[in-house]
Amino acid sequence: AQSVAQPEDQVNVAEGNPLTVKCTYSVSGNPYLFWYVQYPNRGLQFLLKYITGDNLVKGSYGFEAEFNKSQTSFHLKKPSALVSDSALYFCAVRGEGATNKLIFGTGTLLAVQP
Amino acid sequence: NAGVMQNPRHLVRRRGQEARLRCSPMKGHSHVYWYRQLPEEGLKFMVYLQKENIIDESGMPKERFSAEFPKEGPSILRIQQVVRGDSAAYFCASSPVSNGQETQYFGPGTRLLVL
């Protein structure tokens, strides 16, 4: 069965420092991977996705993610964190078979300190 | 281009009442997905619909929950005889196609509180 793990409930980083939010996945076929961000009392906003091609995917707001097949990881990164990046981040993988449901991780709260 | 619209944004119901949640997909999108987010948890898939068809309802509770996406109008998630455990944020997402590679765009959610 497809699954996604986000091993860190919370990540703390100082403004201006690089940030990494970790995600590992388990799939039986080719993985389709997504990152979303959720601000308080808001819906999810799409950041980026990996379907195929380059392992480094660039997305919105300066975020990027690196697909690593051997480590089954898809970590989210940003070279320089902003206080406004503080939010809840979700990694997701597309479900297998004919369904197109997304299977989400439990989320990682990113706190960027000024 | 307006995003995914959901209403109401907040809904309060007493135990035993019915809750109706509405979702209007983005213009040009004919695929709708409903997810539920329980407090302190991630999103869980509930149901996937195309116009007039339920494609996958594997995440729907067996009783009291139903969903539809009529030819005209918004998609509706209906919860009958609500219980306190139904209190959650319900999110709708839409996509223009359904090939596995598409991006699902999410609405702002409906936060249901059952008293």
Side-chain angles (χ1 to χ4, degrees):
Chain A
Q2 319 284 68
S3 66
V4 169
Q6 293 182 244
E8 302 156 316
D9 289 336
Q10 182 162 339
V11 169
N12 298 304
V13 64
E15 186 175 29
N17 283 0
L19 68 87
T20 298
V21 183
K22 295 180 181 177
C23 172
T24 58
Y25 65 89
S26 174
V27 302
S28 54
N30 292 324
Y32 295 160
L33 297 157
F34 302 79
W35 274 103
Y36 286 85
V37 59
Q38 185 181 31
Y39 295 97
N41 296 315
R42 303 283 294 277
L44 276 68
Q45 294 181 31
F46 170 73
L47 283 178
L48 50 80
K49 66 182 177 183
Y50 173 81
I51 302 300
T52 186
D54 288 341
N55 290 341
L56 186 63
V57 179
K58 293 189 181 298
S60 306
Y61 313 119
F63 283 93
E64 58 189 28
E66 186 171 9
F67 172 67
N68 187 317
K69 189 173 183 178
S70 63
Q71 298 185 5
T72 62
S73 67
F74 188 55
H75 300 333
L76 183 69
K77 300 181 179 184
K78 187 173 182 180
S80 178
L82 300 172
V83 172
S84 57
D85 292 330
S86 298
L88 190 56
Y89 290 80
F90 289 100
C91 182
V93 65
R94 188 218 146 184
E96 62 191 347
T99 185
N100 291 303
K101 66 184 178 186
L102 292 176
I103 298 167
F104 284 87
T106 51
T108 298
L109 182 64
L110 173 66
V112 181
Q113 283 90 34
Chain B
N1 188 9
V4 178
M5 309 288 284
Q6 289 188 252
N7 66 82
R9 294 289 304 275
H10 300 272
L11 183 60
V12 180
R13 285 287 179 267
R14 297 193 180 277
R15 281 178 297 169
Q17 291 184 320
E18 178 179 287
R20 278 182 179 248
L21 288 61
R22 288 176 291 277
C23 169
S24 296
M26 288 178 70
K27 187 176 180 180
H29 289 195
S30 58
H31 301 262
V32 166
Y33 316 80
W34 285 93
Y35 295 83
R36 176 165 65 176
Q37 184 178 34
L38 294 169
E40 309 301 326
E41 292 188 17
L43 278 76
K44 302 289 188 202
F45 168 79
M46 299 182 75
V47 62
Y48 161 39
L49 311 103
Q50 295 178 27
K51 287 282 187 181
E52 300 184 280
N53 285 302
I54 297 175
I55 307 302
D56 179 359
E57 56 182 347
S58 59
M60 289 279 270
K62 294 289 186 277
E63 298 177 347
R64 301 188 296 108
F65 284 71
S66 62
E68 62 177 7
F69 189 17
K71 186 176 180 180
E72 300 291 338
S75 175
I76 306 289
L77 180 67
R78 182 183 179 202
I79 311 172
Q80 295 178 291
Q81 299 176 315
V82 295
V83 300
R84 289 212 172 114
D86 296 333
S87 296
Y90 292 82
F91 291 97
C92 167
S94 73
S95 68
V97 295
S98 183
N99 58 14
Q101 302 179 10
E102 75 286 353
T103 298
Q104 294 181 21
Y105 294 93
F106 282 79
T110 293
R111 282 153 182 84
L112 172 65
L113 176 62
V114 180
L115 301 177

